[in-house]
Amino acid sequence: FNSPSSLLFSGQKWLFPVLVFWISFVFIFFFVKLYAGWDGFANFFSSSPFSPASVDFSKRLTVWKESFLALATGFLVMGILWSYGKRLFCWLSLEAPSATRFCLEIGLGIFLLNTFWMGIGLTRLWMEPLWLTGFVFSTFLFLKDLLQLYRKGIALAWPKGINLWLALICGFYFAFLLLHSVLPETFYDSLNYFLGMPSFWLRHHGICDYPTHLLSGYFHGGSLFFMNGFVLADTEGAKVLAALILLWTSLACYGWAKELAGPKTGAVAATAVMTFPLIYLNSWAVRVDGLLTFVLLLFFYVLEKCVSTKKGG
């Protein structure tokens, strides 16, 4: 992967633009044939504050304010997960390479916040002032960690051995996924199960049974996780978290493959995961498939480390 031509066959540079054209054609053709594949984006961009004056300006600002709120909520929750997970990681005296440590910290943060949601849910304390105070406290904790990173002066550098073209592919897919995540959630199963239960539980101030609510007594770990985005930015806030899960999974695969065979292999693994159709398409809706993939990946990674570690390690 030293040059675009080596990505294909040695010396045949003309094959690379042909490959780029073919991949772009398949990607565009798929969404053209997909039912209502682009309609949501057309409405999204037509309501831009910078588009022609065919829509009321205040309505445009409302749409974009909600979209930016959803994105900000997703990244804020990611920061809070990292902040809590980092503390638990250090408290347990764990060690991990930097490439996978961030994902492990996110996983521990998910465990802590899910435990928090379940705890106040089982005690019927899902009151808005309570969880809103918790979010404010968690935000200040995250900002404190950011300030510490800034004071340490950590320099961001391009990782050695990472192919630029693979990075651009991952960036394109992730940017497209983020745009899709701020569109309204319309998937029936997401609204009925993975978001229907949190909404029902919030109205009843905690995890509770109800005869006509089929799964109200089953503690969906995914539903509790998506609660972090749902309570602040509704269904779009939860969808942004679904998009971020794919990013974390790709980073985890990058770190694991890098340990085994170097950064070039890690970049290929991350790209393969980011562009994997079933995982990518499931990230468009609030479903637990992506979260289950991420958690299982971390579990198998840690299990492999435990098995391979010598005594006393």
Side-chain angles (χ1 to χ4, degrees):
F1 298 140
N2 293 326
S3 65
S5 60
S6 63
L7 184 63
L8 301 168
F9 303 100
S10 58
Q12 300 180 2
K13 296 182 178 180
W14 61 272
L15 282 176
F16 185 76
V18 172
L19 179 62
V20 171
F21 171 78
W22 175 249
I23 293 175
S24 303
F25 169 75
V26 172
F27 190 86
I28 295 174
F29 185 78
F30 172 79
F31 284 103
V32 168
K33 294 299 181 181
L34 184 67
Y35 173 73
W38 296 100
D39 290 353
F41 286 110
N43 295 331
F44 179 78
F45 287 109
S46 64
S47 60
S48 166
F50 309 104
S51 58
S54 57
V55 185
D56 183 40
F57 186 75
S58 61
K59 294 182 178 179
R60 298 181 191 178
L61 289 180
T62 300
V63 172
W64 279 70
K65 181 185 69 174
E66 294 176 354
S67 299
F68 284 119
L69 174 62
L71 288 174
T73 297
F75 283 97
L76 173 62
V77 170
M78 180 173 67
I80 291 174
L81 292 173
W82 166 76
S83 182
Y84 280 119
K86 179 174 68 72
R87 284 169 168 77
L88 183 56
F89 195 90
C90 295
W91 183 73
L92 294 173
S93 300
L94 302 178
E95 295 181 1
S98 58
T100 52
R101 174 168 178 159
F102 175 76
C103 295
L104 291 171
E105 291 170 345
I106 290 290
L108 291 173
I110 292 174
F111 167 74
L112 282 177
L113 280 189
N114 271 20
T115 304
F116 168 76
W117 280 117
M118 181 169 285
I120 65 173
L122 291 174
T123 53
R124 304 296 297 274
L125 292 176
W126 273 357
M127 310 296 182
E128 185 171 352
L130 179 63
W131 57 255
L132 188 57
T133 302
F135 265 111
V136 171
F137 173 78
S138 302
T139 301
F140 278 111
L141 207 62
F142 166 57
L143 293 177
K144 176 185 176 183
D145 290 340
L146 279 184
L147 184 60
Q148 290 178 349
L149 286 179
Y150 175 76
R151 288 175 176 174
K152 290 180 180 178
I154 297 179
L156 297 177
W158 184 261
K160 294 182 179 179
I162 301 299
N163 180 265
L164 178 61
W165 296 105
L166 295 181
L168 289 176
I169 291 174
C170 289
F172 172 77
Y173 269 74
F174 184 61
F176 192 80
L177 188 59
L178 280 181
L179 283 176
H180 201 286
S181 67
V182 298
L183 299 178
E185 174 64 289
T186 58
F187 192 65
Y188 173 78
D189 283 352
S190 299
L191 296 172
N192 190 41
Y193 298 111
F194 307 121
L195 290 177
M197 277 183 296
S199 178
F200 175 85
W201 289 338
L202 284 173
R203 291 196 304 269
H204 291 79
H205 305 297
I207 298 173
C208 54
D209 294 317
Y210 192 66
T212 61
H213 201 76
L214 179 63
L215 298 176
S216 64
Y218 182 70
F219 306 138
H220 273 289
S223 293
L224 292 173
F225 165 75
F226 288 119
M227 186 87 82
N228 296 290
F230 181 73
V231 294
L232 294 181
D234 208 62
T235 59
E236 291 76 33
K239 281 188 68 176
V240 173
L241 289 181
L244 291 175
I245 288 173
L246 183 55
L247 173 66
W248 305 338
T249 306
S250 298
L251 289 175
C253 290
Y254 165 77
W256 197 353
K258 180 183 178 182
E259 290 181 39
L260 297 174
K264 293 182 180 180
T265 306
V268 173
T271 307
V273 171
M274 181 63 73
T275 59
F276 191 76
L278 288 178
I279 301 179
Y280 189 78
L281 291 176
N282 275 318
S283 300
W284 288 9
V286 183
R287 300 183 63 179
V288 299
D289 308 65
L291 181 63
L292 178 62
T293 302
F294 177 64
V295 173
L296 284 176
L297 179 66
L298 295 184
F299 168 76
F300 287 123
Y301 173 79
V302 175
L303 179 64
E304 189 273 334
K305 291 297 178 184
C306 293
V307 171
S308 61
T309 300
K310 298 179 181 180
K311 291 183 179 180

